[in-house]
């Protein structure tokens, strides 16, 4: 999903603290246990510190920051931080004595890691977000107090971050892995872990430098070396067969043995194809540490995690935990559920991920974290991916779709996506491809690149769909990131979600109709929705034989990325199911049946089936392009609900509406003072230049609209964790909005 990046430094936690005299620095000590990263993909490492000069009451924002560098001392503001924690929140007593410890879970970054105790300011020179002007005056950097080193032993590090991927040939599966160095890398594979007689020499060894990407922060502060990416192909695979493999190098070591199931052969057969389906996931820190860059939700989490000395520690800890689930660690729910399924030995053939994979935002270390979140999955089943706005969008993206006005990859422009995931497109600049597996023809497209009639991608799509033999392969599934149908109106500009959706309907849906596409998978909006068989916003239903007359659209953007949900006040005609909880999908397809099921959980724990749909292809079904096109042409368009019906749907904005202590209507006088016609906020949101979906014609509606942005009540004397999360979250969001649009401050009493 696209985030609205603000244009103010408050997007990131500003840690402005007192600078203490450093007379006692000689006694300070920071250490890692163990002290050497000697092997493996990841591990737990305890950072301990002691002898830090005693803090004052103003030093609650002391932080322990990790950096991937051998530099000692680290130059604060010159290196990209990996993650951080607040000693004050770990243990107040230890913090007051200048001691403490914390266990970090670290991927293998192929680098020494430095743990630095910082006091007295920020650790980033400015808000490193595309389109955000630099601060009016330099940001004061924090004071380096001491640091300790986790030493990386390059000689003992074998292959890490292994990713299987489908290719255009279903008898060939590619394996890509990363290593700090390689001499003669190979993959050994076979049907038994004891008889891996197949051998393939690496077909490619490459890496990407900061200069290979497009713009900052990916080309500057956000870059760390990803090591070498090595790819090899396992060929001549028998269909629907479990294969075992290991990768590596005789000089530097091999991986452990992994296995996967090859896909069913294209065409007629009894074997069903089974795949997981997700979109919009996002890396999460298993150790609950924080990180600086990130999207809107993570920025809220960083704000909520700032120590608040006036709040009881028990409540504050609950605030951080609750906010973490809502705004940063939602991806843990789906990832751990899928990882568990994988460890239990599932029979799935692969996983589809339709965009917004890691949410690295130009900070390459986050790709390592995200790939570690799925380390069992990616080494045990091939991936089928498409790029999202947070992988690809940049003014310099080749064939970019948004007139140079999209910045959401923060300079990555799909380079890490391509190199680390290795989708099978022929040209790394053209992010689309197709493949056959069992009874399904898959087409993976890029909504971030031009797909209008006459474009290269459009011509590929038309030629590809035209060439599918539907008597052999009855099902066609399209995967891409941005949806054609969404219950979230956004007409902000050329990248507005509804603007893009309407354009995709107008320009691409006629192709889907003519060639009778069955299912369209998407993401982008952080929820799950299922449509009826739909053309032009109109439900067209099913034929007498039970087959659908039009594609069913399945938006699986609920894999973990946070969202502040709003929707049309009136349910769109095409919407059959909508789920806001985090989860993942499962797809099972045979020659005659296609079943998709969504499994969700509002919190970590048991996943439950929240939706399921089955489509059928009766015996002897054959496509009829002329009848399909005629139906499309004769179908009247059903417009989306009128824009004057737009209201923020406060009963689905995460649990926030349940957390807000009271309703705006119960204190209309205060609400009028905060949101009424005399306020700058009201004037702005009713002006033609406002980035709003419609004018708000009354201050009460205005107040209702911003209920999710700010509570007009003070916290109760003994706040609950939920009310505290609500208060701080809403306060942060509204002040961000005011700041972005240069509206000054809220009137007194509205905080």
């Amino acid at each position: 999903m696209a985030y609205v990046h603000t244009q103010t430094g408050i997007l990131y936690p500003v840690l402005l603290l007192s600078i203490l005299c450093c007379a006692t620095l000689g006694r300070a000590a920071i250490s890692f246990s163990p002290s050497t990263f000697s092997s493996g993909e990841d591990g737990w490492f305890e950072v301990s510190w002691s002898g830090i000069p005693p803090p004052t009451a103003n030093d609650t924002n002391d932080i322990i920051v990790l950096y991937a560098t051998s530099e000692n001392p680290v130059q604060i503001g010159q290196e990209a931080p990996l993650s951080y924690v607040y000693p004050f929140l770990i243990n107040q007593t230890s913090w007051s004595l200048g001691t403490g410890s914390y266990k970090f879970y670290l991927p293998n970054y192929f680098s020494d890691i430095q743990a630095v105790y910082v006091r007295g300011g920020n650790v980033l020179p400015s808000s490193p977000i595309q389109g955000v002007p630099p601060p009016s005056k330099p940001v004061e950097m924090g004071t380096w107090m001491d640091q300790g080193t986790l030493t990386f032993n390059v000689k003992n590090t074998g292959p890490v971050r292994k990713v299987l991927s489908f290719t255009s040939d279903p008898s060939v599966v590619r394996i890509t892995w990363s290593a700090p160095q390689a001499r003669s890398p190979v993959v050994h594979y076979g049907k038994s872990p004891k008889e891996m007689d197949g051998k393939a020499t690496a077909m490619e060894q490459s890496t990407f430098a900061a200069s290979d990407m497009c713009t900052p922060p990916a080309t500057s502060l956000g870059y760390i070396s990803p090591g070498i990416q090595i790819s090899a192909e396992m060929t001549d695979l028998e269909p629907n067969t479990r294969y075992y493999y290991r990768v590596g190098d005789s000089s530097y070591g091999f991986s452990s043995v992994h296995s996967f199931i090859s896909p069913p052969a294209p065409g007629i057969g009894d074997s069903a194809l089974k795949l997981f389906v997700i979109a919009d996931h996002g890396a999460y820190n298993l150790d609950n540490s924080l990180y600086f860059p990130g999207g809107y939700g993570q920025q809220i989490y960083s704000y909520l995690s700032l120590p608040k000395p006036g709040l009881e520690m028990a409540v504050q800890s609950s605030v951080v935990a609750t906010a973490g689930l809502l705004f940063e660690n939602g991806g843990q729910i789906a990832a751990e559920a899928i990882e568990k399924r994988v460890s239990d030995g599932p029979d799935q053939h692969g996983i589809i991920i339709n965009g917004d994979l890691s949410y690295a935002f130009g900070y390459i270390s986050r790709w390592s974290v995200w790939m570690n979140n799925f380390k069992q999955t990616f080494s045990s089943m091939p991936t089928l991916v498409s790029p999202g706005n947070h992988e690809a969008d940049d003014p310099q993206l080749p064939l970019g779709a948004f007139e140079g006005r999209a910045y959401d990859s923060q300079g990555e422009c799909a380079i890490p996506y391509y190199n680390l995931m290795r989708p099978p497109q022929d040209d790394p600049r053209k992010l689309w491809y197709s493949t056959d597996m069992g009874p399904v023809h898959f087409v993976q497209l890029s909504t971030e690149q031009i797909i209008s009639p006459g474009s290269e991608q459009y011509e590929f799509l038309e030629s590809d769909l035209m060439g599918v033999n539907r008597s052999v392969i009855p099902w066609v599934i399209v995967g891409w990131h941005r949806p054609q149908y969404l219950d979230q109106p956004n007409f902000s500009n050329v990248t507005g979600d509804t603007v893009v959706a309407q354009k995709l309907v107008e320009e691409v849906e006629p192709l889907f109709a003519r060639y009778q596409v069955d299912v369209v998978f998407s993401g982008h909006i952080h929820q799950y929705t299922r449509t009826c068989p739909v053309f032009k916003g109109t439900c067209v239903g099913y034929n007498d034989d039970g087959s659908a007359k039009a594609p069913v659209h399945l938006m699986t953007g609920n894999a973990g990325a946070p969202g502040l949900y709003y929707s049309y006040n009136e349910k769109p005609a095409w919407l059959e199911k909508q789920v806001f909880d985090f989860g993942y999908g499962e797809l099972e397809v045979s020659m005659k049946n296609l079943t998709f099921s969504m499994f969700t959980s509002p919190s970590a724990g048991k996943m439950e089936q929240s939706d399921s749909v089955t489509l059928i292809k009766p015996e002897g079904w054959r496509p009829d392009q002329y009848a399909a096109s005629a139906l499309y042409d004769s179908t009247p368009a059903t417009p989306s609900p009128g824009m004057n019906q737009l209201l923020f749907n406060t009963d689905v904005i995460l649990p926030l509406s349940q957390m807000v202590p009271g309703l705006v209507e119960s204190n209309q006088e205060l609400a009028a003072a905060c949101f009424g016609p005399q306020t700058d906020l009201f004037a702005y949101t009713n002006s033609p230049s406002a980035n709003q979906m419609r004018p708000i014609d009354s201050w009460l509606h205005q107040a209702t609209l911003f209920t999710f942005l700010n509570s007009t009540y003070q916290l109760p004397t003994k706040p609950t964790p939920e009310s505290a999360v609500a208060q701080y979250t809403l306060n942060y969001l509204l002040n961000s909005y005011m700041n972005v649009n240069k509206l000054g401050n809220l009137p007194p009493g509205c905080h």
Side-chain angles (χ1 to χ4, degrees):
M1 174 179 179
Y3 289 111
V4 180
H5 297 302
T6 73
Q7 301 189 17
T8 169
I10 69 168
L11 279 175
Y12 290 87
V14 180
L15 311 178
L16 300 176
L17 307 173
S18 299
I19 301 177
L20 294 183
C21 173
C22 301
T24 58
L25 275 179
R27 296 181 295 161
I30 300 179
S31 63
F32 280 88
S33 179
S35 60
T36 301
F37 204 136
S38 58
S39 64
E41 299 201 37
D42 47 37
W44 287 96
F45 298 86
E46 184 170 25
V47 175
S48 301
W49 56 94
S50 61
I52 303 298
T56 70
N58 294 324
D59 294 327
T60 58
N61 289 349
D62 284 2
I63 50 176
I64 290 284
V65 193
L66 301 189
Y67 296 89
T69 180
S70 58
E71 184 180 64
N72 191 345
V74 169
Q75 300 299 306
I76 306 300
Q78 302 300 312
E79 300 283 348
L82 301 174
S83 59
Y84 68 99
V85 293
Y86 292 105
F88 174 82
L89 293 180
I90 297 170
N91 186 301
Q92 284 192 41
T93 301
S94 297
W95 163 77
S96 67
L97 298 174
T99 66
S101 65
Y102 194 84
K103 288 187 176 180
F104 289 90
Y105 188 78
L106 299 176
N108 192 334
Y109 292 111
F110 307 142
S111 169
D112 291 350
I113 304 296
Q114 307 296 329
V116 184
Y117 198 108
V118 177
R119 174 172 294 165
N122 210 335
V123 296
L124 291 176
S126 63
S127 181
I129 289 285
Q130 287 273 359
V132 176
S136 57
K137 59 181 180 180
V139 176
E140 182 179 358
M141 293 296 99
T143 299
W144 179 96
M145 304 299 283
D146 197 50
Q147 76 182 62
T149 302
L150 172 64
T151 303
F152 170 63
N153 188 338
V154 66
K155 295 181 180 179
N156 296 335
T157 297
V160 302
R161 295 187 275 284
K162 298 173 285 293
V163 179
L164 293 163
S165 54
F166 293 112
T167 69
S168 57
D169 181 346
S171 70
V172 177
V173 169
R174 176 178 293 148
I175 174 67
T176 301
W177 68 95
S178 296
Q181 55 190 359
R183 183 166 295 169
S184 302
V186 296
V187 54
H188 298 286
Y189 62 99
K191 297 178 187 178
S192 166
K194 297 181 180 179
E195 297 180 7
M196 294 185 291
D197 299 327
K199 179 180 177 181
T201 302
M203 54 187 281
E204 184 176 352
Q205 298 184 52
S206 63
T207 188
F208 57 95
S211 59
D212 293 322
M213 293 179 283
C214 290
T215 48
T219 58
S220 57
L221 187 66
Y223 179 78
I224 66 171
S225 173
I228 301 170
Q229 282 68 62
I230 304 163
S231 290
E233 290 186 343
M234 293 173 275
T235 60
D236 299 320
L237 303 179
E238 296 179 14
N240 207 39
T241 301
R242 183 169 293 278
Y243 280 87
Y244 297 83
Y245 74 95
R246 67 172 187 163
V247 299
D249 189 307
S250 58
S251 299
Y252 300 109
F254 283 88
S255 69
S256 57
V257 175
H258 303 275
S259 72
F260 66 94
I261 302 174
S262 59
I268 298 173
D270 297 328
S271 300
L273 176 68
K274 300 178 182 180
L275 301 165
F276 292 117
V277 185
I278 63 171
D280 299 84
H281 185 258
Y284 63 89
N285 289 353
L286 190 61
D287 56 22
N288 292 316
S289 62
L290 302 157
Y291 61 98
F292 286 95
Y296 207 47
Q298 197 280 326
Q299 296 152 17
I300 299 169
Y301 182 40
S302 295
Y303 168 79
L304 292 174
S305 299
L306 286 169
K308 298 171 176 59
L311 200 60
E312 291 182 12
M313 281 302 298
V315 173
Q316 182 154 275
S317 297
S318 296
V319 165
V320 175
T322 304
L325 177 62
L326 295 179
F327 297 119
E328 181 174 31
N329 296 330
Q332 189 168 356
I333 294 173
E336 288 189 349
I338 293 174
E339 288 276 279
K340 185 178 186 306
R341 290 284 304 279
V342 171
S343 66
D344 290 343
D347 55 357
Q348 270 77 7
H349 297 96
I351 182 170
I352 300 173
I353 312 176
N354 281 313
D356 285 5
L357 285 67
S358 69
Y359 287 87
F361 292 98
Y363 283 75
I364 308 308
S365 65
R366 299 306 296 171
W367 277 97
S368 297
V369 174
W370 179 73
M371 295 173 78
N372 243 36
N373 296 156
F374 284 101
K375 67 177 180 179
Q376 289 191 78
T377 303
F378 291 165
S379 62
S380 302
M381 56 184 61
T383 57
L384 195 71
V385 297
S386 64
N389 49 306
H390 292 296
E391 280 79 53
D393 282 4
D394 189 90
Q396 297 181 29
L397 175 70
L399 307 174
F402 302 116
E403 304 172 4
R405 297 173 64 183
Y407 299 91
D408 289 343
S409 79
Q410 295 301 302
E412 292 183 19
C413 55
I415 297 300
Y417 160 84
Y418 176 77
N419 282 271
L420 296 171
M421 301 304 294
R422 289 316 307 263
Q425 67 245 28
D426 295 331
D427 186 330
R429 299 169 300 173
K430 300 170 184 177
L431 306 175
W432 54 83
Y433 59 94
S434 66
T435 188
D436 296 325
M437 286 185 277
V440 184
H441 179 75
F442 289 95
V443 190
Q444 295 294 106
L445 301 173
S446 171
T447 54
E448 311 316 301
Q449 294 175 289
I450 300 171
I451 196 171
S452 300
S455 68
E456 192 169 351
Q457 186 173 193
Y458 184 94
E459 291 178 355
F460 159 82
L461 175 61
E462 183 168 28
S463 174
D464 183 83
L465 294 177
M466 188 184 304
V468 181
N469 184 345
R470 301 297 286 273
S471 64
V472 177
I473 300 177
W475 301 95
V476 172
I477 296 177
V478 170
W480 56 11
H481 182 59
R482 295 178 188 253
Q484 288 173 302
Y485 293 95
L486 67 160
D487 183 28
Q488 182 163 309
N490 178 355
F491 292 89
S492 55
N493 54 44
V494 68
T495 68
D497 301 331
T498 313
V499 175
V500 175
Q502 291 178 342
K503 185 178 177 67
L504 292 173
V505 167
E506 293 168 1
E507 297 183 343
V508 184
E509 193 171 67
L511 277 186
F512 291 174
R514 185 184 316 154
Y515 296 105
Q516 293 170 268
V517 169
D518 297 291
V519 170
V520 179
F521 280 119
S522 66
H524 195 57
I525 308 302
H526 298 172
Q527 57 187 256
Y528 166 69
T529 59
R530 171 171 56 84
T531 74
C532 59
V534 59
F535 286 149
K536 303 178 189 176
T538 300
C539 293
V540 296
Y542 297 84
N543 294 302
D544 293 340
D545 61 10
S547 60
K549 293 181 178 181
V552 170
H553 294 252
L554 298 166
M555 185 167 68
T556 62
N558 60 328
L564 294 171
Y565 305 121
Y566 57 95
S567 63
Y568 294 106
N569 195 44
E570 178 182 303
K571 177 183 174 182
W574 46 261
L575 181 60
E576 290 202 339
K577 184 68 175 180
Q578 188 171 37
V579 180
F580 296 96
D581 291 332
F582 297 125
Y584 67 91
E586 291 190 26
L587 176 70
E588 182 170 344
V589 193
S590 65
M591 295 295 288
K592 296 181 181 180
N593 295 282
L594 181 156
T595 298
F596 178 81
S597 301
M598 173 56 62
F599 296 87
T600 58
S601 177
S603 60
K606 183 179 180 181
M607 306 294 285
E608 297 181 352
Q609 183 173 302
S610 53
D611 188 40
S612 184
V613 61
T614 297
L615 305 178
I616 67 170
K617 292 285 188 194
E619 186 102 25
W621 179 90
R622 293 293 182 268
D624 187 335
Q625 292 183 17
Y626 299 104
S629 293
L631 173 63
Y632 182 83
D633 292 340
S634 64
T635 298
T638 299
S640 297
M643 297 315 297
N644 62 348
Q645 295 173 329
L646 173 68
L647 286 175
F648 275 71
N649 195 349
T650 53
D651 63 347
V652 295
I653 301 171
L654 301 173
L656 287 183
S657 63
Q658 309 303 318
M659 300 176 183
V660 176
L663 298 173
V664 170
E665 287 85 347
S666 65
N667 194 337
Q668 294 193 11
E669 183 177 349
L670 179 58
C674 297
F675 304 109
Q678 78 284 2
T679 63
D680 292 340
L681 181 61
F682 183 88
Y684 174 78
T685 53
N686 281 279
S687 68
S689 61
N691 182 16
Q692 293 294 319
M693 317 316 163
R694 70 170 182 91
I696 307 299
D697 56 9
S698 78
W699 64 264
L700 188 57
H701 284 170
Q702 181 74 57
T704 303
L705 177 66
F706 282 97
T707 296
F708 86 106
L709 291 178
N710 184 63
S711 167
T712 57
Y713 296 86
Q714 298 294 328
L715 283 170
T717 305
K718 292 187 176 181
T720 65
E722 290 77 19
S723 65
V725 169
Q727 178 72 40
Y728 288 120
T729 302
L730 305 177
N731 213 23
Y732 172 85
L733 285 170
L734 183 54
N735 279 285
S736 296
Y737 183 88
M738 299 284 287
N739 212 322
V740 168
N741 296 302
K742 300 179 174 61
L743 299 178
N745 297 317
L746 284 172
C750 297
H751 293 260

